[in-house]
Amino acid sequence: MPSSGPDPRGLLDLAVAAAHAAGRLLEARPDRALTVDTKSTATDVVTEMDTAAERLIVETLLTARPDDGMLGEEGGRRPGRSGVRWVVDPIDGTVNYLYGIPQYAVSIAVELVSPGPAAQHTGAGHTGAGHTGAGEVVAGVVHQPATGATYTAVRGEGAFRDGRRLSVSGQGDLGQALVATGFGYAAGRRARQAEVLRAVLPRVRDIRRFGSAALDLCLVASGQVDGYYERGLQPWDLAAGALVAREAGARVEGLHGGPPGERLVLAAGPALFAALHDLLAPLGPDRD
Ligand code: LIP
């Protein structure tokens, strides 16, 4: 990062403040049925609280840094002029939130982008480990409002939960590995993902499907799951949690050395990564 660039630690402090403010809003949900819309399918939902939380996060970030770019899941998108872009998922695990299940998170990552056309890029999709199509993620926070847990990372400076350093598991035996995964919203993709799962399940200790990619990646970072894979993640699901996992010692990649992204995200400690990759690769987990 150019020495003249903004200090990632200061950017992280701002991200944590915005995530905590959104967490307080989300935990103070109204005592009535939430207004719910759908997106890609009838089960891909966005609630009024997703929208309100993103609005609060964007307002907090841009009040402090008005020239920054923004890529938010619920439409908070704008190019920037500062060389800094925020990647925001106001509720990762929206279905869990809707059902009152505490496994949901606020995910905010910040990337440094090269000024010029790339800085205008607001597309989804990762182009490399730590990149989100326009720059490199240098800091991130994943906050679980229901428990208060706050996962943080600055590139090159380790990963933490509530200030305590995290480290991935040393599990190297596939048959003893606890592996998290997730499923898409489209029936055809879910059927394909079930085929992959059918082949994986007998080969590992067990599977966990918690419902939040950002928290799944943080559980890899803390060693509370040994590995994670999922197809269909967007940059806002992935950006902060991938940095936390990598800074805790995980490999976070696609297949065959490719970058993590919508096609597939695979995360595990170095002792397990190759075995989990070689189990998955022939199954075509990156194809519908
Ligand atoms: C969710 C992901 C999760 C995936 C869900 C959903 P959202 O993100 O975090 O890993 O399995 O299908 O995509 O939609 O709650 O922000």
Side-chain angles (χ1 to χ4, degrees):
M1 181 195 78
S3 57
S4 58
D7 174 12
R9 298 180 195 88
L11 296 173
L12 178 63
D13 290 345
L14 177 57
V16 169
H20 284 173
R24 290 189 292 274
L25 174 79
L26 293 168
E27 284 294 292
R29 63 190 287 169
D31 186 16
R32 56 168 172 74
L34 296 178
T35 302
V36 180
D37 288 322
T38 58
K39 297 193 288 191
S40 62
T41 72
T43 55
D44 182 4
V45 294
V46 53
T47 74
E48 62 184 280
M49 300 305 285
D50 293 79
T51 306
E54 183 166 299
R55 188 180 308 116
L56 174 59
I57 292 166
V58 170
E59 183 181 292
T60 303
L61 297 174
L62 295 185
T63 298
R65 296 184 54 87
D67 294 333
D68 289 359
M70 193 67 62
L71 175 61
E73 178 175 13
E74 308 311 345
R77 303 182 190 188
R78 48 168 275 171
R81 296 192 298 270
S82 65
V84 171
R85 183 170 80 152
W86 300 89
V87 185
V88 177
D89 190 343
I91 305 179
D92 186 63
T94 294
V95 173
N96 284 346
Y97 182 76
L98 184 61
Y99 277 74
I101 298 170
Q103 198 73 3
Y104 76 93
V106 178
S107 177
I108 302 174
V110 58
E111 60 182 24
L112 300 187
V113 297
S114 49
Q120 313 309 315
H121 176 69
T122 57
H126 276 237
T127 58
H131 291 75
T132 56
E136 183 158 10
V137 175
V138 295
V141 55
V142 176
H143 173 53
Q144 186 177 10
T147 65
T150 300
Y151 298 84
T152 58
V154 171
R155 187 184 58 183
E157 299 186 10
F160 300 84
R161 179 178 58 210
D162 302 330
R164 298 188 63 176
R165 186 178 286 270
L166 299 175
S167 184
V168 297
S169 90
Q171 181 62 259
D173 180 348
L174 196 59
Q176 295 292 316
L178 187 63
V179 178
T181 191
F183 309 118
Y185 290 112
R189 173 168 289 183
R190 293 168 67 80
R192 183 80 191 76
Q193 290 172 319
E195 290 171 7
V196 173
L197 182 62
R198 183 175 182 277
V200 170
L201 192 54
R203 300 286 308 279
V204 299
R205 173 192 293 271
D206 206 348
I207 287 288
R208 293 290 185 269
R209 198 288 197 248
F210 292 112
S212 164
L215 288 176
D216 289 338
L217 287 160
C218 291
L219 291 175
V220 171
S222 63
Q224 291 175 283
V225 296
D226 300 304
Y228 164 69
Y229 72 93
E230 184 161 359
R231 171 169 170 68
L233 298 188
Q234 297 301 316
W236 42 78
D237 298 315
L238 178 60
L243 182 67
V244 171
R246 276 198 309 276
E247 287 297 321
R251 291 177 62 180
V252 184
E253 301 175 21
L255 292 183
H256 310 303
E262 198 277 337
R263 286 194 63 178
L264 192 77
V265 174
L266 174 57
L272 183 70
F273 187 92
L276 186 54
H277 175 281
D278 293 350
L279 168 63
L280 282 166
L283 304 174
D286 59 339
R287 296 196 309 269
D288 286 339

